[in-house]
Amino acid sequence: MIEFDFYNSLNYWLVLFVLVLILNFFLKKPLLQRYGFLLANIFMLLALPNFGGDSLLILFVLTFYTFSIGWLLNKRGIVKNNGLRIAISLSSLIIIILVLACFKYRLVLSIKGINRFFNENNTSKDILLIGVSYFSFKMMHFIIASYKQGIKKPNLMIYLNYIFFFPSFISGPINRYNHFCESFDSEKRTQFSRNLGLGGKRIVHGLFKRIVLVQILLPYVLTNLKKPIDELSIAEIIYGLYAYSFYFYFDFSGYTDLAIGCAQLLGVDLPENFNSPFLKRNIQQLWANWHISLTSWLMDYIYWPLVKKMRNFRMLKKRPILLSNLCIIFTFVICGLWHGDGINFLLWGLYHGLGLSALNVYRAMKRRIDNIKINRYFMSKYSFAIGIFLTFNFFSIGLLLFALDIKTIKLLFNGKLFL
Amino acid sequence: MIRKIILFLKKNKQTIRITFEIFWILIFLLEKLGGEYSSSIPQFIYVNF
């Protein structure tokens, strides 16, 4: 079986070229297209290193399971009892979360070479589920949307293609079922020359970021500097962090461009994930424009439901800022844990949660200011520029927790700061 | 003259950007193929999340 990394190898591009030709010119009938798409998705996933038949089987079982539950919940008149509906949805969500926790952290551990937590005799320990963070969030979305009866056209073949869709399988964007369904059945999908133009441009943007910009930045990134980490000066740490921020942005947005471009070649629209996040004047705006599909998922399925529940407490209902801050901190701690299993990821989430809370408090204080001159300053270009600078620095400093573990951070600041 | 150049650049912004990007992609790929000291393209940071 042929094996390749997505977007990084020549084999990937050759296979994609053949698939685009077959799907656009040889499979014209809608039903044939759906089957053809699914076969193409399965073929591409099996070509991923560390994605074998076992992984595919688990993915199929999970997909069938979540579709059946979603279908039951979505169809009016089948499960009428609200308590039962909640129980079915919650138990399914718990199962998906367990799968995510089990496979994701095992994947992280195996990459780090720390398998001591797992029994040596356990025969299933080599099964890796690449992309589990992303497809589990898609499945949770499907279950919750079905519970609210918000799935417009539940269809098993489209759902299989939605979960298995290879351009966004390994790292998103986390698209929504209805959006995928509309795009999948849209007439635009068959307009090959339009899709080729749009997709081709996007792929060039992505390759430019990945091959040129990332390569230029790589030697200056904090984790790649030639000096031992404890010998770095504060200035070197700062420029290493700045370089890391841009490297991270170009790497991930480059990946997203490639994913969106490849999906476009196949006639499917994926949602945008970035919108100039480093040009935003506060951390809330930065997060609204950084990894947009994840942020909106977290807002829709963690933050807002939590706010609704917490409003029932009279003490919090009277204090909307405290309510919002508690919910945002919890949401970002989950966001941190989603990114990785180390304590540094939890602290990274907490750091951003606290930053957003501080912004909430600052905004409330700002609203109380009655001075025209000060208010005019807040509307000025200077205030905007200072906001961009401070936000970028806040984000870059936070990346320390993202890129390094706690021990290394202590080593990095050894004798330089209070640590 | 400068106004004409600016107008031309504005009108052909997309084409100029794509050409610029393709040019540098090719340069970096050729450098990667040719030089034994050249670095390989790093793995995506986000892939294993």
Side-chain angles (χ1 to χ4, degrees), chain A residues 104 111 133-134 171 201 204-205 207-208 210-212 215 247-248 251-252 255 291 339 402, chain B residues 14 17-18 20-22 24-25 28-29 32 39-49:
Chain A
K104 183 182 173 81
I111 284 164
S133 314
Y134 291 88
S171 292
K201 262 187 218 166
V204 171
H205 295 332
L207 286 176
F208 179 70
R210 285 282 301 149
I211 295 174
V212 181
Q215 292 275 47
Y247 168 73
F248 196 6
D251 184 72
F252 194 23
Y255 160 81
H291 204 172
H339 280 88
F402 197 94
Chain B
Q14 275 292 327
R17 184 180 166 188
I18 293 283
F20 174 83
E21 288 182 350
I22 291 174
W24 282 108
I25 290 168
F28 271 68
L29 283 179
K32 198 167 114 45
S39 55
S40 60
I41 301 166
Q43 181 58 272
F44 291 105
I45 304 180
Y46 251 70
V47 163
N48 296 321
F49 287 171

Side-chain angles (χ1 to χ4, degrees), chain A residues 112-365:
Chain A
K112 289 178 181 171
I114 312 166
N115 271 322
R116 63 194 155 86
F117 294 106
F118 297 98
N119 187 352
E120 283 298 311
N121 299 324
N122 184 356
T123 49
S124 68
K125 73 172 186 175
D126 289 324
I127 302 174
L128 298 172
L129 265 186
I130 303 278
V132 65
S133 314
Y134 291 88
F135 72 70
S136 58
F137 269 31
K138 284 188 192 176
M139 287 173 176
M140 282 191 241
H141 145 69
F142 187 76
I143 297 279
I144 298 169
S146 300
Y147 168 74
K148 292 176 181 169
Q149 296 184 321
I151 296 293
K152 284 179 194 160
K153 210 164 81 179
N155 177 294
L156 180 61
M157 276 311 284
I158 296 180
Y159 184 67
L160 279 165
N161 277 307
Y162 166 66
I163 297 291
F164 284 54
F165 192 53
F166 74 88
S168 62
F169 188 80
I170 47 174
S171 292
I174 307 166
N175 50 344
R176 307 289 170 99
Y177 177 81
N178 284 341
H179 179 263
F180 180 83
C181 198
E182 266 171 36
S183 167
F184 200 72
D185 277 348
S186 151
E187 277 196 7
K188 278 185 201 164
R189 206 160 72 73
T190 51
Q191 296 168 359
F192 182 63
S193 56
R194 170 198 170 266
N195 297 337
L196 187 67
L198 289 173
K201 262 187 218 166
R202 213 51 204 263
I203 288 171
V204 171
H205 295 332
L207 286 176
F208 179 70
K209 286 176 186 167
R210 285 282 301 149
I211 295 174
V212 181
L213 298 179
V214 162
Q215 292 275 47
I216 291 170
L217 286 165
L218 195 62
Y220 307 103
V221 166
L222 183 70
T223 47
N224 248 23
L225 293 173
K226 295 238 164 80
K227 262 188 181 177
I229 208 135
D230 52 336
E231 287 176 22
L232 295 175
S233 66
I234 291 286
E236 283 168 323
I237 295 172
I238 290 171
Y239 90 62
L241 273 176
Y242 283 175
Y244 192 85
S245 299
F246 283 110
Y247 168 73
F248 196 6
Y249 170 67
F250 287 128
D251 184 72
F252 194 23
S253 73
Y255 160 81
T256 306
D257 285 338
L258 292 171
I260 292 174
C262 290
Q264 198 93 60
L265 287 185
L266 297 164
V268 175
D269 286 334
L270 286 178
E272 289 297 332
N273 236 1
F274 294 91
N275 178 23
S276 313
F278 291 157
L279 295 177
K280 305 300 169 199
R281 70 180 302 178
N282 62 48
I283 192 67
Q284 187 259 328
Q285 282 186 14
L286 185 143
W287 269 108
N289 293 282
W290 172 281
H291 204 172
I292 299 167
S293 63
L294 173 69
T295 317
S296 60
W297 193 99
L298 291 170
M299 288 294 123
D300 290 347
Y301 297 124
I302 297 181
Y303 176 77
W304 287 115
L306 201 61
V307 167
K308 272 186 189 170
K309 278 272 167 252
M310 300 274 268
R311 266 189 203 139
N312 295 334
F313 295 100
R314 200 183 294 167
M315 197 265 286
L316 289 172
K317 204 176 178 181
K318 286 178 188 166
R319 297 176 176 82
I321 293 174
L322 178 66
L323 169 75
S324 168
N325 286 351
L326 288 176
C327 296
I328 205 79
I329 289 171
F330 180 79
T331 307
F332 270 83
V333 166
I334 298 288
C335 175
L337 288 174
W338 179 83
H339 280 88
D341 64 332
I343 189 89
N344 53 319
F345 287 105
L346 187 141
L347 291 174
W348 178 76
L350 189 65
Y351 170 84
H352 279 284
L354 289 172
L356 286 158
S357 304
L359 177 72
N360 263 344
V361 175
Y362 168 73
R363 276 176 164 171
M365 285 163 67

